[in-house]
Amino acid sequence: MILTVTLNTALDITYRVGALRPHTSHRVSDVTERPGGKGVNVARVLAALGHETTVTGFAGGATGRAVREQLAETPGVRDALLPVAGATRRTIAVVDELTGDTTQLNEPGPQTAPAEWGAFLDHYEELLGGASVVALCGSLPPGVPVGAYAGLIKTARAAGVPVLLDTSGEPLRRGVAARPDLVKPNADELAELTGSHDPSRATQDARRRGARTVVASLGPQGLLALTPEGRWRAVPPTHEHGNPTGAGDSALAGLLSGLVEQLPWPDRLTRAVALSAATVRAPAAGEFDRAAYEKLLDRVTVTGGTTAA
């Protein structure tokens, strides 16, 4: 079982408009709602790939109920979310159909009480007993300690469960120091962590700070991976136009599934890049265009080798 942790779950709402213009009213042509938050998106993609997945984190209020109701209708995903008094957040993506650009609005999430956080720690430790790997994903809701991910990483390591981290800012900095097996920042998050805008140098710095493997997401330029086995670069054949929301989550799903299946690194990166690009073509985060994904698998370019990193 793959365990994904989304402390700040969300109801993802996507609006499509003909053209997004400030200071005007818009007629929405299409609306989609999906259970979201990074780890939930990852779990939905993993389930579509055929992997048994459990999601945990917090859910509360009417929005939390909507998230759980939709998760119950998602084959292959087990809901292990904990209830909280506060209301689960909403994230709003507005897709401009003229330009293909997406504007994202993210609410902060519910205030989490110390007792709720303590209950989650116990719950998490129990879930690790059945997990082959765990992914810690996304932002922290108000009230959760900034070092939360660092603590969760240490708990996973003590249980002998490989742990992947995908977050940003101070939670990422503290989490890297706890020595996760893999971190997957985007270019901006990596630069904020290391102070370097050179991805090659920044990935080396992130490894020195504690991460065993660093996979940097470079948007349309693909992925850069620095691992104990070597360094690779994986690039999609073309720049996909569409909604990029959730593309990074799909890339993480590709890396997780490749780890569980014990694929060599070039195959893991190929899958991650193909899934990410195919997600841009999908209507909402946590989904991918399967036909596009299968075509892209043969067209992703991977360079590098197994020289010690």
Side-chain angles (χ1 to χ4, degrees):
M1 176 268 287
I2 299 174
L3 176 64
T4 70
V5 175
T6 311
L7 296 174
N8 212 1
T9 53
L11 183 65
D12 287 344
I13 303 170
T14 302
Y15 294 135
R16 292 184 174 273
V17 299
L20 182 62
R21 298 185 179 89
H23 316 301
T24 64
S25 297
H26 295 79
R27 186 175 298 278
V28 176
S29 61
D30 183 66
V31 181
T32 58
E33 289 189 359
R34 300 288 190 276
K38 292 182 74 66
V40 173
N41 293 337
V42 170
R44 292 171 56 220
V45 173
L46 284 168
L49 293 172
H51 287 275
E52 179 188 355
T53 310
T54 296
V55 296
T56 191
F58 297 119
T63 308
R65 286 194 296 274
V67 167
R68 303 191 77 167
E69 288 169 0
Q70 293 193 32
L71 278 178
E73 299 173 356
T74 306
V77 177
R78 175 193 168 207
D79 172 6
L81 296 169
L82 281 184
V84 291
T88 293
R89 67 188 178 130
R90 297 162 297 178
T91 63
I92 312 296
V94 183
V95 179
D96 184 324
E97 295 179 329
L98 180 64
T99 65
D101 292 337
T102 300
T103 299
Q104 190 82 17
L105 303 173
N106 297 329
E107 296 179 356
Q111 181 70 35
T112 306
E116 292 170 332
W117 176 238
F120 175 79
L121 293 176
D122 293 339
H123 183 57
Y124 172 72
E125 193 164 1
E126 291 176 4
L127 289 171
L128 284 174
S132 57
V133 62
V134 58
L136 309 175
C137 305
S139 62
L140 301 177
V144 171
V146 70
Y149 284 138
L152 297 180
I153 289 166
K154 292 175 183 176
T155 301
R157 287 175 57 85
V161 179
V163 56
L164 284 68
L165 177 65
D166 187 2
T167 188
S168 60
E170 186 65 12
L172 174 61
R173 188 184 70 81
R174 297 197 187 194
V176 166
R179 305 184 64 80
D181 292 274
L182 183 148
V183 294
K184 194 202 69 63
N186 62 33
D188 291 340
E189 292 162 351
L190 187 60
E192 183 182 5
L193 173 67
T194 65
S196 174
H197 290 274
D198 176 354
S200 180
R201 180 177 299 174
T203 52
Q204 290 178 332
D205 187 10
R207 277 203 72 205
R208 284 194 294 267
R209 290 169 183 257
R212 178 175 172 81
T213 292
V214 181
V215 178
S217 178
L218 307 179
Q221 284 72 50
L223 299 175
L224 175 64
L226 184 61
T227 83
E229 293 80 25
R231 179 194 299 272
W232 287 270
R233 179 74 179 270
V235 182
T238 58
H239 174 47
E240 300 292 338
H241 295 280
N243 180 6
T245 307
D249 305 334
S250 292
L252 183 59
L255 296 173
L256 280 163
S257 62
L259 170 64
V260 170
E261 296 172 29
Q262 299 182 330
L263 299 180
W265 270 106
D267 292 345
R268 297 187 204 185
L269 295 169
T270 294
R271 179 180 291 181
V273 168
L275 281 170
S276 179
T279 295
V280 174
R281 296 191 185 184
E287 301 174 4
F288 62 95
D289 183 317
R290 187 170 290 275
Y293 164 65
E294 292 174 354
K295 290 180 181 178
L296 286 162
L297 282 172
D298 294 328
R299 300 176 63 202
V300 174
T301 300
V302 180
T303 56
T306 55
T307 303

